[in-house]
Amino acid sequence: APGKLLRRAIEADRLGSLILYRTPGCGKTSLAEVIATVTRRRFERTSGVLANVQTLRNLLAAAVQRKALDGTETILFIDEIHHFNKSQQDILLPFVEEGSITLIGATTHNPFFFINSPLTSRSQIFELHPLSEEAVVRILRRSLTDPRGLQADRVEADEAALAHLARVCEGDARRALNALEIAALTTARGADGVIRLDRAVIEESIQKKA
């Protein structure tokens, strides 16, 4: 929200290392995308599922080299950081301590149990909460009219359908958007070429009855 610590830090590009955690679909990766757009630093990303030790070493070496050459700082975003074992996490520690990188880790697991204490002690921990039903409805409405969403597909959904979807997705925006997309892709167009989604169609797509 405006005036809050995290937003002020992002807007001023004064971020320190962060750990973002909580349930899927609550905005951890979206926050990283915001930071990537706003920051004047180099933004690199990887995943705890995909990256191995050599991948990490390459990213860290490149960050050190950039800073030495022209002073460019690097933000390293690691999604699902809890998948890194202790030795992989230990590789990050000296670079975080020296300021060679600013680490942003995202995890669905409690970082105090799944991330090494030296890393958590050098990072700000932000616990994100599941989205409210009203917030999910706003996201769904936006996806129907945004060019990056379903605008070109000419999809309309009634309020009861959106409200039901927001209620059963339990604060997970990704799950809600996936269900809306499935409903749009599997529903026949009307005579006027518009895809209309009602509550019955949404119930089928989310596989949970009212």
Side-chain angles (χ1 to χ4, degrees):
K4 295 296 184 179
L5 173 63
L6 184 56
R7 180 153 174 169
R8 295 201 314 270
I10 292 171
E11 290 176 339
D13 196 10
R14 301 285 291 178
L15 284 171
S17 291
L18 308 174
I19 303 292
L20 309 173
Y21 88 99
R22 198 56 194 274
T23 53
C26 66
K28 299 182 295 295
T29 304
S30 296
L31 269 176
E33 295 284 355
V34 169
I35 293 165
T37 302
V38 173
T39 185
R40 293 178 293 277
R41 288 176 272 185
R42 176 69 173 260
F43 191 89
E44 297 284 352
R45 70 181 64 211
T46 189
S47 164
V49 175
L50 300 175
N52 55 28
V53 169
Q54 190 57 51
T55 301
L56 275 181
R57 292 193 187 282
N58 291 342
L59 288 168
L60 296 168
V64 170
Q65 186 175 34
R66 273 192 298 272
K67 191 166 185 178
L69 286 174
D70 57 14
T72 299
E73 297 184 3
T74 300
I75 292 176
L76 177 60
F77 173 63
I78 303 177
D79 198 12
E80 300 187 85
I81 192 172
H82 59 272
H83 283 290
F84 279 170
N85 59 36
K86 185 180 184 300
S87 61
Q88 287 172 300
Q89 292 183 31
D90 285 344
I91 290 170
L92 296 167
L93 185 59
F95 296 90
V96 172
E97 286 181 326
E98 296 163 6
S100 303
I101 61 163
T102 298
L103 173 68
I104 301 178
T107 175
T108 55
H109 291 55
N110 188 326
F112 296 107
F113 292 100
F114 289 88
I115 298 177
N116 293 355
S117 56
L119 275 181
T120 57
S121 69
R122 289 163 176 78
S123 306
Q124 287 185 301
I125 310 294
F126 285 93
E127 179 183 2
L128 279 65
H129 297 283
L131 301 179
S132 67
E133 291 180 18
E134 293 78 11
V136 175
V137 168
R138 287 200 301 272
I139 290 170
L140 294 172
R141 285 198 198 110
R142 187 180 303 154
S143 74
L144 295 172
T145 58
D146 195 292
R148 298 164 297 177
L150 297 169
Q151 182 194 60
D153 296 308
R154 300 181 65 196
V155 181
E156 295 178 0
D158 61 40
E159 288 302 308
L162 296 182
H164 174 69
L165 186 49
R167 185 165 55 254
V168 299
C169 79
E170 300 173 330
D172 185 337
R174 187 183 303 111
R175 183 182 173 202
L177 288 167
N178 287 342
L180 186 69
E181 184 178 35
I182 289 168
L185 292 174
T186 57
T187 301
R189 294 184 183 277
D192 57 358
V194 176
I195 298 171
R196 290 183 172 83
L197 306 179
D198 59 17
R199 181 157 159 167
V201 172
I202 290 296
E203 285 179 356
E204 282 290 315
S205 300
I206 198 66
Q207 290 293 298
K208 187 167 184 177
K209 296 291 185 183

